Amino acid sequence: MPASHRTPPIDADEATLRTHLEHAELPALLVTLAHLTGDDAILRDELRPDGSFMAGPQGGYSEHQLSVARKLCLDALSRYRDAGCPPPTRPTETQIRGWLGFLVGDIDLESYLPLLLSELALDGPAARAPQWRKAEVAPDRDFRVAIIGAGMSGLAAAFRLQQAGVPFVIFEKSDDVAGTWHDNVYPGCRVDVPNHFYSYSFAQKADWPQIFSTQDALLDYFRQCADEFDLRRHVRFATEVTEAVFDEEAGSWTLALRGPDGAESFEAQALISAVGQLNRPNMPEIEGMESFEGPSFHSARWQHDVPLEGKRVAIIGTGASACQFIPRVADVASELTVFQRTAPWLLPTPEYHDPVPEGLQWLFTHVPFYAAWYRFWLFWTGSEGLLGSVVVEDDWGDPKRSVSEANDLVRVMLTEYLAEQCGDDKDLLEKMTPDYPPFSKRFVRDNGILPATYQRDHVSLDTAGIERITPSGIRTADGREIEVDVILYGTGFTASDFLMPMKIVGRGGCELHDVWDGDARAYLGITLPHFPNLFLMYGPNTNIVVNGSIIYFSECEVDYILACVRKLLGGGHKAMDCRPEVHDAYNERIDAENLRKAWGAATVNTWYRNRHGRISQNWPYTLLAYYQQTREVAEGDYEIW
Ligand code: NAP
């Protein structure tokens, strides 16, 4: 990592190259070859792709464009091979601008350029590295950072702090890194964002096994990052932070820890919470739950020692987690009943379970920088484009159906897909068709497997509602008794309870959970008044529904946190506290904008909304907006002393 710089020489003959190119994503390959050869002639105007999400793969190229692009790539690749695969010279900024412009088309390139360059990260880990080191800005300052959590976010923070030479310790309650990818081991668990994009910009990986890799590959990736970047020695595993108290005089946080050696305390000048949102199982309150005599467990606490083979199984919930394990449980259970309260929208993804095609894999591992340009291309086509389809149009017809013309178009496409998949089974189609606008809840990717599973003889989708759980099964609201041996809860997480169950005490003794009262807010999702030097990652309103990957947000947050640490160190300051008026005005803007998005306008229940009815999870703007707002600490946003 980054693999783009380490590729074996190309010795394939022309026929083999031609075969490999059948699987290439051509817009990204054209740019890669311009990059490798320094010859932009192959970036012909008539091959400028459509970089919008709706264009689909290959930038919407016609058959003719595909054939022209393939031929140009074949010729350029052959020439590159015949020249002995020389390492490319470092491109000029003008060249990179030209290549980015070719891929992203008609946008405000000047505004986007810094973001695009940092996502492209041609310089690997150095690309976004802090341009300062503690040894230079505050060599004698006794300053260390405590990070809570060694999952995706915590590792990203650790990596950049290490680059800046700032001492840090990570406290992790589990016995390994990787957070959600460590906890979720249910059958069928896999990432639902294309993997070459769901990876750190500073640790790009060319050889993902699948387009959407399975949990074991993700776990390996984060473990490998921890090892390669030598982060493990900073992690105290099996150690839980139970409390953190800010000392205003000292400008430091005192943490109460519970670890293998019992209770202890730890002092740090800055505290980063990287505990994630989706890790505390949400167990529903259904009458009679405790009376069930068979085994039952939540998807994030899977009990592999409970055999499901030949058993009558009930699954409660049809969110992203359940929809991944429903087909796998159906493969082994003798009878499976899935209890659905709200139908998810299925996003057609034919390649969802596919390995990376051999030709594409070959290109990633043999053509320098192709993996980086491919990742960038995925980033771009999966980012801002879809946001337009969630914007609420004033006075738009039926708010239960859609929120705008663009949103309705998505609805029509997704409904057609469902109709195709359900075939003659009209009853199933009715059950599977959501009665709320697309993207007001998280979609579920599908390659046809979910409707096909529901059509298996021993599987049924039950939408009557659950009245109670009995010692031997589930009683439905319409009075049926369904006997089962095992109950599996795919009922999600208590996502709105940010930072629970830790006790966090800020200035003047105020307690975070009293301040929030179940309605978590923060400035940029990162800082909040009265809690100086506390930085949240994946905090309130930093989740995305349709655009981007959560890793993108984590990297932006880390950039901002590093800028804060730089300010504290460089200015010789003890602490910085977000000004209440800045925080409040920001949250007003966020709330207003969320109401203008499908998830804010729709009335369907969703984990994006907290018990006060407010959307506390989602970022309603573009990725660019978050990037721009997290570049530097604006003068006046903080009280600093
Ligand atoms: P979720 O989206 O919150 O789904 C929970 C499911 O349980 C919903 O179908 C919900 O129904 C149902 N449910 C909850 N309480 C219930 C009750 N009392 N009775 C009946 N049904 C009940 O949780 P999730 O599937 O674990 O996914 C959470 C998030 O994690 C996703 O949105 C996604 O962001 C992330 N995720 C990602 C991946 C991935 O990348 N591969 C995989 C899994 C999860 P209602 O819809 O009616 O509330």
Side-chain angles (χ1 to χ4, degrees):
M1 285 180 242
S4 31
H5 306 282
R6 294 188 237 122
T7 50
I10 297 171
D11 55 9
D13 62 19
E14 198 157 312
T16 312
L17 289 180
R18 190 173 287 116
T19 312
H20 293 326
L21 285 172
E22 284 303 311
H23 296 111
E25 183 66 19
L26 292 162
L29 187 59
L30 284 166
V31 167
T32 309
L33 289 165
H35 178 176
L36 287 184
T37 60
D39 180 3
D40 285 0
I42 59 172
L43 304 182
R44 295 186 182 168
D45 268 348
E46 71 265 26
L47 293 179
R48 281 183 184 274
D50 176 351
S52 72
F53 180 86
M54 298 303 266
Q58 305 287 16
Y61 279 175
S62 64
E63 281 306 317
H64 175 68
Q65 285 172 309
L66 286 174
S67 133
V68 173
R70 259 195 205 103
K71 175 81 176 68
L72 287 168
C73 287
L74 179 62
D75 293 347
L77 207 48
S78 305
R79 282 199 305 278
Y80 177 68
R81 176 201 57 200
D82 296 344
C85 305
T89 51
R90 195 182 165 75
T92 63
E93 199 182 309
T94 312
Q95 281 178 306
I96 299 177
R97 272 171 189 256
W99 302 333
L100 290 171
F102 177 81
L103 287 179
V104 304
D106 190 18
I107 61 154
D108 173 8
L109 193 56
E110 281 321 301
S111 302
Y112 270 96
L113 200 63
L115 157 63
L116 300 181
L117 288 171
S118 58
E119 272 303 310
L120 181 60
L122 287 179
D123 290 329
R128 214 161 158 171
Q131 299 302 300
W132 57 276
R133 291 193 52 85
K134 177 177 180 294
E136 291 151 13
V137 298
D140 303 323
R141 176 92 181 263
D142 185 13
F143 189 98
R144 63 181 172 178
V145 180
I147 302 172
I148 312 175
M152 178 276 287
S153 299
L155 292 179
F159 175 71
R160 293 299 184 198
L161 285 168
Q162 178 162 272
Q163 282 186 319
V166 177
F168 64 90
V169 179
I170 310 180
F171 298 104
E172 168 55 59
K173 68 177 163 41
S174 304
D175 57 1
D176 204 349
V177 298
T180 194
W181 300 109
H182 171 267
D183 293 350
N184 284 279
V185 292
Y186 59 78
C189 181
R190 66 193 324 132
V191 66
D192 67 0
V193 172
N195 230 155
H196 292 82
F197 170 27
Y198 186 89
S199 46
Y200 297 125
S201 67
F202 57 81
Q204 298 184 20
K205 175 176 159 66
D207 57 350
W208 287 104
Q210 287 141 331
I211 299 167
F212 298 87
S213 293
T214 45
Q215 172 266 341
D216 52 337
L218 270 300
L219 179 60
D220 278 353
Y221 171 75
F222 289 106
R223 282 178 169 161
Q224 213 182 332
C225 287
D227 291 337
E228 287 203 14
F229 298 128
D230 197 19
L231 300 175
R232 264 183 206 275
R233 67 195 169 90
H234 300 279
V235 187
R236 289 185 49 186
F237 290 106
T239 303
E240 194 173 351
V241 176
T242 56
E243 186 178 285
V245 180
F246 187 68
D247 179 335
E248 201 163 339
E249 191 52 40
S252 64
W253 283 94
T254 304
L255 312 187
L257 310 174
R258 194 166 48 212
D261 303 324
E264 56 176 309
S265 72
F266 183 90
E267 198 173 304
Q269 283 59 48
L271 177 59
I272 299 177
S273 165
V275 297
Q277 290 183 12
L278 301 166
N279 52 16
R280 289 168 311 281
N282 170 46
M283 287 304 278
E285 287 173 16
I286 302 175
E287 215 185 315
M289 268 172 79
E290 302 310 320
S291 70
F292 182 63
E293 285 169 354
S296 62
F297 51 87
H298 186 271
S299 58
R301 301 287 181 271
W302 200 268
Q303 294 177 18
H304 287 278
D305 56 347
V306 174
L308 301 176
E309 287 74 12
K311 303 284 188 218
R312 297 165 304 171
V313 180
I315 293 178
I316 301 180
T318 50
S321 300
C323 290
Q324 289 186 334
F325 63 79
I326 286 167
R328 297 290 296 274
V329 173
D331 282 343
V332 296
S334 62
E335 279 173 40
L336 170 63
T337 311
V338 177
F339 291 90
Q340 172 184 280
R341 192 165 64 179
T342 311
W345 279 109
L346 301 188
L347 190 69
T349 310
E351 71 283 17
Y352 190 25
H353 291 176
D354 293 351
V356 174
E358 202 184 323
L360 191 57
Q361 197 69 279
W362 184 91
L363 290 164
F364 288 148
T365 46
H366 286 76
V367 180
F369 295 103
Y370 181 50
W373 281 106
Y374 177 84
R375 179 184 183 282
F376 173 80
W377 176 239
L378 286 182
F379 162 75
W380 183 250
T381 51
S383 59
E384 313 293 37
L386 264 176
L387 200 62
S389 66
V390 297
V391 177
V392 177
E393 219 167 281
D394 290 337
D395 304 322
W396 178 256
D398 180 356
K400 268 194 162 293
R401 181 188 154 92
S402 54
V403 296
S404 68
E405 191 175 347
N407 189 251
D408 204 67
L409 194 64
V410 174
R411 183 184 182 98
V412 170
M413 283 165 45
L414 300 186
T415 310
E416 277 171 9
Y417 173 75
L418 278 172
E420 254 168 48
Q421 298 300 317
C422 293
D424 295 335
D425 195 339
K426 299 297 172 216
D427 178 49
L428 181 63
L429 177 60
E430 198 184 325
K431 287 177 177 172
M432 291 194 77
T433 305
D435 62 355
Y436 56 87
F439 305 141
S440 23
K441 281 166 86 78
R442 175 74 174 174
F443 57 76
V444 165
R445 284 194 187 272
D446 181 64
N447 56 357
I449 196 165
L450 195 65
T453 300
Y454 290 150
Q455 289 174 75
R456 294 177 72 172
D457 289 343
H458 67 299
V459 179
S460 49
L461 178 62
D462 204 304
T463 56
I466 298 173
E467 188 202 301
R468 62 171 295 128
I469 292 179
T470 67
S472 59
I474 291 178
R475 186 182 304 150
T476 59
D478 57 5
R480 285 169 295 125
E481 298 276 348
I482 298 174
E483 301 230 318
V484 296
D485 304 310
V486 185
I487 300 178
L488 306 176
Y489 291 93
T491 45
F493 301 90
T494 55
S496 302
D497 294 340
F498 291 87
L499 274 68
M500 287 287 249
M502 292 183 294
K503 181 174 179 186
I504 313 274
V505 183
R507 279 174 99 176
C510 64
E511 219 264 275
L512 181 69
H513 296 298
D514 290 343
V515 172
W516 275 344
D517 187 25
D519 188 9
R521 294 160 192 262
Y523 176 53
L524 299 170
I526 302 174
T527 56
L528 68 157
H530 313 305
F531 296 86
N533 299 9
L534 169 65
F535 305 101
L536 314 184
M537 297 190 67
Y538 202 12
N541 298 105
T542 58
N543 187 62
I544 23 100
V545 184
V546 289
N547 53 331
S549 126
I550 200 61
I551 295 187
Y552 169 84
F553 275 79
S554 289
E555 290 203 47
C556 288
E557 288 151 15
V558 172
D559 292 344
Y560 185 81
I561 294 169
L562 264 287
C564 291
V565 171
R566 164 83 176 82
K567 195 162 192 74
L568 289 170
L569 290 174
H573 304 301
K574 269 191 203 166
M576 54 194 296
D577 191 1
C578 182
R579 292 189 187 280
E581 62 276 19
V582 171
H583 168 274
D584 294 351
Y586 169 86
N587 275 281
E588 268 175 40
R589 291 196 299 275
I590 290 280
D591 288 350
E593 201 55 36
N594 264 327
L595 290 176
R596 296 194 39 77
K597 297 293 180 294
W599 49 80
T603 51
V604 65
N605 51 321
T606 145
W607 62 267
Y608 301 150
R609 198 185 298 282
N610 64 25
R611 65 181 158 86
H612 297 269
R614 176 177 161 267
I615 297 290
S616 57
Q617 251 73 21
N618 299 342
W619 173 253
Y621 301 103
T622 59
L623 298 185
L624 177 65
Y626 198 66
Y627 181 85
Q628 289 176 330
Q629 291 175 43
T630 48
R631 287 313 86 202
E632 55 188 42
V633 184
E635 219 40 69
D637 279 359
Y638 290 86
E639 179 192 346
I640 301 184
W641 68 93

